[in-house]
Amino acid sequence: MTLPPDLVIFDCDGVLVDSEPLTNVVIRDNLARHGLELSLEEILETFVGGTMAGVMQEARAMSAQLPDDWVDCIYEEMFAVLAQEVEIIPGIVEVLEALDQASIPYAVGSNGPHRKMEITLGRTGLIERLRGRIYSREDVPKPKPAPDLYLHAAARAGVSPDRAVVIEDSPTGARAAQAAGIPCFGYVAETDPARMTPLCDAVFDRMQVLPGLLGL
């Protein structure tokens, strides 16, 4: 790994915006209405970092009675909550400012749809910093844990994968970075460090320390 990197690629949910506690409650309550009772801890361990299509498939396998339009319906529930309540991850603005001062570009790579990021990044005031560098699983053939999304972001920036760094908070995303050959720093403020440490080059629990980890 070469530090500082030539590009930093951020996951969105749980790294830039504190959306996961909100969406996990929506998922828990929705699945309960469809016959599958799970705790928030079980929701976190089972689903975080994946796609809603993946959640639907796995929840059906666990006995949830979900309609065929469930993904569209659950997103509408999520979007309504996020538009009213989502907040920024503490310290992330200072990280982006440090990257700006060092003239290091950054991008976003999320398994969520563009519409979701427009809501969360728009409400938190980050979207103008990131516009034109926001990539979704909608932009690539396969979502994380496949490497497609992170390779796409690096290619769009004209940066070799081994010269980039990914910031992730889920094992699914960390595996995507691994598969892409991109070093990964795991943000573990809300994630069990034991799940991230084997997959990451470093783990940290406060955004305030990330500039130092990046060699800024």
Side-chain angles (χ1 to χ4, degrees):
M1 187 193 319
T2 302
L3 296 177
D6 292 342
L7 173 70
V8 179
I9 312 171
F10 294 92
D11 178 42
C12 187
D13 297 303
V15 173
L16 297 176
V17 294
D18 196 16
S19 52
E20 288 178 348
L22 299 173
T23 56
N24 288 344
V25 169
V26 172
I27 293 170
R28 179 198 64 186
D29 294 349
N30 182 288
L31 292 181
R33 295 196 303 270
H34 289 93
L36 180 60
E37 298 272 357
L38 296 174
S39 67
L40 284 175
E41 182 177 353
E42 288 170 322
I43 295 288
L44 180 67
E45 291 181 357
T46 307
F47 301 132
V48 166
T51 64
M52 293 312 300
V55 173
M56 180 177 179
Q57 182 178 5
E58 195 156 355
R60 278 179 163 176
M62 298 168 73
S63 78
Q65 301 299 309
L66 303 181
D68 291 340
D69 64 347
W70 183 81
V71 171
D72 291 336
C73 294
I74 192 73
Y75 268 132
E76 290 304 322
E77 288 186 40
M78 287 180 177
F79 293 162
V81 171
L82 292 170
Q84 295 296 318
E85 299 183 38
V86 71
E87 300 294 342
I88 202 166
I89 292 289
I92 196 63
V93 170
E94 290 76 12
V95 173
L96 299 180
E97 288 176 346
L99 291 169
D100 287 338
Q101 291 170 7
S103 298
I104 296 173
Y106 44 86
V108 182
S110 173
N111 263 356
H114 279 289
R115 185 179 167 203
K116 182 181 180 184
M117 288 187 278
E118 288 169 4
I119 292 169
T120 59
L121 297 175
R123 174 177 159 81
T124 54
L126 294 177
I127 198 163
E128 292 306 324
R129 285 181 175 269
L130 296 161
R131 199 177 295 281
R133 297 171 286 168
I134 301 171
Y135 306 112
S136 161
R137 50 94 173 150
E138 295 171 323
D139 301 322
V140 294
K142 295 180 181 179
K144 307 174 198 177
D148 303 33
L149 187 54
Y150 285 138
L151 291 175
H152 177 71
R156 289 293 298 268
V159 172
S160 174
D162 63 344
R163 299 285 305 183
V165 167
V166 160
I167 312 300
E168 265 289 351
D169 72 322
S170 75
T172 298
R175 290 188 184 97
Q178 258 190 349
I182 303 177
C184 182
F185 292 169
Y187 180 54
V188 295
E190 300 291 338
T191 309
D192 181 356
R195 300 179 66 208
M196 294 293 285
T197 299
L199 303 170
C200 297
D201 296 87
V203 297
F204 64 104
D205 61 6
R206 293 184 303 115
M207 280 296 169
Q208 289 81 357
V209 306
L210 182 55
L213 290 175
L214 293 170
L216 304 183

